[in-house]
Amino acid sequence: MSNVVPIRRTPKVAEPEKVSAMVVAGSGGASTTTTTFGLATALRLGTGKDITAVDSTSDGGNLLSRTRFRAVDPARSIDSLSARMAETTSGMVVVGSSHHGHSADPMMVDLLLGGRASARVHDVGTALRSPRLAPLIQSGAALVVVAPARAEPLSRMREAMNWLKSTFGPDTLGETIVVVSHQMPTSPVELAPIRAALAPQIAGFVEVPFDPVLARPGVIDHRRLSTATIDAWTDALDVLGTLSPQSDARRDGKAGELA
């Protein structure tokens, strides 16, 4: 197929190389992997900057196997991570999970990549409550909470957001983006009331339309994705660009519950 793709609009992110974000979910199968890939890909296509997607799940996810296209350019390789680095079809770098149960410290990986002026998008999966992720949250990494457009996962997303608020303070949700992915051609739930309820509390609410390419097994090729899919991820990046680190507020905020 052709390697020529349309020029994408630049996401409204003032300093793309400083982006650090965590993609989390309240339940499995919520599209954290494809959302991580999508945000990193849209940022890469729109800015041409160095972008890295990182598997920061506790038990080792499939980010690398879903997105690996070719070996990483040696000039972009990092010795301590090289065995699990690759490039995707867009040319952004992906870092897979550690093996043998020895997961790398997400905060250290984030600092290492940041020192190389690479944006970082971490796939956390359902490991939000893992103590090893707390430093990354406290550092001010943007939070992207995802769920498929189905009733039970949306309910579990609410539980995850309540936990974030009670653990890191009431200001945390104001720095959180909610991304709802449509995994079926038609939605079984009405999202308008959910959007209306969350809008006053969160930074942004974005829907990713159904894209059959994301539903297929195998390596994701960004050139096969619909324009609407990449545009939705770019919309989420626009919201991310309005956020600023609030680590002190996260550490010192008092507990609370979603209404």
Side-chain angles (χ1 to χ4, degrees):
M1 66 180 297
S2 172
N3 288 323
V4 178
V5 296
I7 296 176
R8 308 303 312 177
R9 71 175 176 85
T10 301
K12 299 173 183 177
V13 179
E15 298 178 288
E17 66 279 4
K18 294 185 178 181
V19 166
S20 176
M22 296 172 54
V23 181
V24 305
S27 62
S31 300
T32 59
T33 297
T34 54
T35 302
T36 299
F37 168 83
L39 295 177
T41 298
L43 194 58
R44 170 73 176 177
L45 295 178
T47 67
K49 300 287 187 178
D50 280 340
I51 315 295
T52 307
V54 184
D55 189 333
S56 296
T57 56
S58 293
D59 55 356
N62 64 347
L63 180 66
L64 186 61
S65 63
R66 286 297 321 268
T67 63
R68 180 203 298 267
F69 176 65
R70 60 191 170 206
V72 69
D73 185 328
R76 304 172 73 187
S77 181
I78 298 173
D79 288 344
S80 60
L81 303 174
S82 60
R84 50 196 179 97
M85 295 179 74
E87 287 188 14
T88 70
T89 54
S90 69
M92 66 123 174
V93 173
V94 59
V95 177
S97 61
S98 298
H99 299 294
H100 310 301
H102 301 296
S103 297
D105 179 354
M107 188 68 225
M108 292 303 296
V109 173
D110 193 77
L111 290 171
L112 182 60
L113 293 168
R116 290 198 167 203
S118 175
R120 294 83 66 200
V121 184
H122 295 262
D123 177 5
V124 174
T126 59
L128 178 61
R129 294 170 175 81
S130 174
R132 69 194 185 91
L133 292 170
L136 190 55
I137 298 175
Q138 291 170 334
S139 74
L143 292 167
V144 182
V145 180
V146 302
R150 302 197 309 272
E152 183 178 356
L154 287 167
S155 177
R156 293 193 178 187
M157 178 188 74
R158 176 191 174 104
E159 294 173 4
M161 294 174 70
N162 272 329
W163 182 86
L164 281 169
K165 188 176 180 182
S166 65
T167 304
F168 295 101
D171 293 332
T172 304
L173 294 190
E175 306 155 34
T176 298
I177 304 167
V178 170
V179 174
V180 176
S181 295
H182 290 269
Q183 297 179 344
M184 296 178 283
T186 58
S187 177
V189 297
E190 176 55 56
L191 293 177
I194 298 173
R195 179 192 289 268
L198 288 176
Q201 305 176 66
I202 63 176
F205 185 103
V206 175
E207 293 182 52
V208 178
F210 173 73
D211 193 322
V213 172
L214 296 177
R216 296 173 190 149
V219 174
I220 304 172
D221 186 333
H222 81 281
R223 295 165 296 184
R224 298 183 181 275
L225 295 168
S226 73
T227 298
T229 299
I230 298 179
D231 283 347
W233 288 326
T234 304
D235 289 342
L237 290 172
D238 288 346
V239 178
L240 189 151
T242 68
L243 305 180
S244 59
Q246 298 284 340
S247 57
D248 289 339
R250 289 181 183 172
R251 282 193 291 266
D252 302 333
K254 296 180 180 179
E257 288 293 321
L258 289 174

